[in-house]
Amino acid sequence: MTDRYAIIGHPVSQSLSPLIHKQFARMTGNSLTYDRIDCVSAKLEKTVEGFFAEGGLGLNVTVPHKKKAFLLADRVGMRARKAGAVNILSVDKHGGIAGDNTDGTGLVRDLVRNLGIRLEGARLLLLGAGGAARGVIAPLAEQKIGSLTIANRTYASALKLVESFAGLVEIHACRLNKLTADFDLIIHATAAGLKNTTPIFDGSVVRNADCYDVMYGRRETPFMVWAQRQGAQSVTDGWGMLVEQAAESFHIWRGVWPETAMLIAARPSKRKRDSGS
Ligand code: ATR
């Protein structure tokens, strides 16, 4: 039987993970299938159990199941524990289900290796305080960043996140309407783009900063469009992060690192390094 993998989420029809993993499989000479599984939250546990019981080897987990999937794993690694979420479930060598989280390292790899952004000593602004934001804090903090400010529509959630990561890095919460232009890198991790909008704050905050949206789509995200208009130094979507986290998933499953550069270059929306280009 061919080795089976899939991405599970709801909705999931828009996911480009199957395309990425099939490409990795071709490039590395691996024979496997990678499907989409659309599954509502109430059916997650049964569907995951069924997938592995029928011989499936690994699942990528996407919105809205990353937190719930964390509870389904028999074992979770440190990265997933810090994120409070998993984006990959795999059969481990004991036959149990191991959970891990490759989102944050995917982001760091895209920022540092692909975009050449220096994180050491950088002043970072993270927009959002939900699962997507939580998942990237520890991997960013490990890069010896100078400081991390979290701003969110609901200030109390930003404060809560700051409390849970205090001690790891210099970390602050800030109200959106109190932000000033103090940042080298701004990472947008809110769900506002799904409603075709962006968090509302002063445009001078993003001027001359590198801006990164963890979301991706066939077109530039609303945050990218807005940041570019405000004079951001660069605006990038999360396509590279997606490809890099997929590469790490592929490595976990198949023991081989696929080449990512070609796929990243063939992004669905145009990558912009400079707001003027
Ligand atoms: P995810 O797991 O994708 O991060 P989530 O846990 O529901 O999803 O969190 C969504 C995040 O996007 C939150 O930070 C949310 O802000 P609130 O805490 O104030 O709800 C943010 N968000 C969603 N819609 C937004 C909007 N229109 N403007 C600004 N922030 C928004």
Side-chain angles (χ1 to χ4, degrees), residues 190-204:
T190 85
L194 299 174
K195 297 251 161 69
N196 209 21
T197 178
T198 67
I200 294 160
F201 60 99
D202 196 301
S204 66

Side-chain angles (χ1 to χ4, degrees), residues 63 67 128-133 152-154 157 176 189-192 195 197-199:
V63 178
K67 267 192 207 158
N152 189 47
R153 182 176 62 179
T154 308
S157 314
L176 282 170
T190 85
K195 297 251 161 69
T197 178
T198 67

Side-chain angles (χ1 to χ4, degrees), residues 223-241:
F223 177 71
M224 290 168 76
V225 172
W226 176 80
Q228 208 168 344
R229 282 200 196 122
Q230 310 308 315
Q233 161 110 346
S234 70
V235 293
T236 310
D237 71 9
W239 171 245
M241 173 179 172

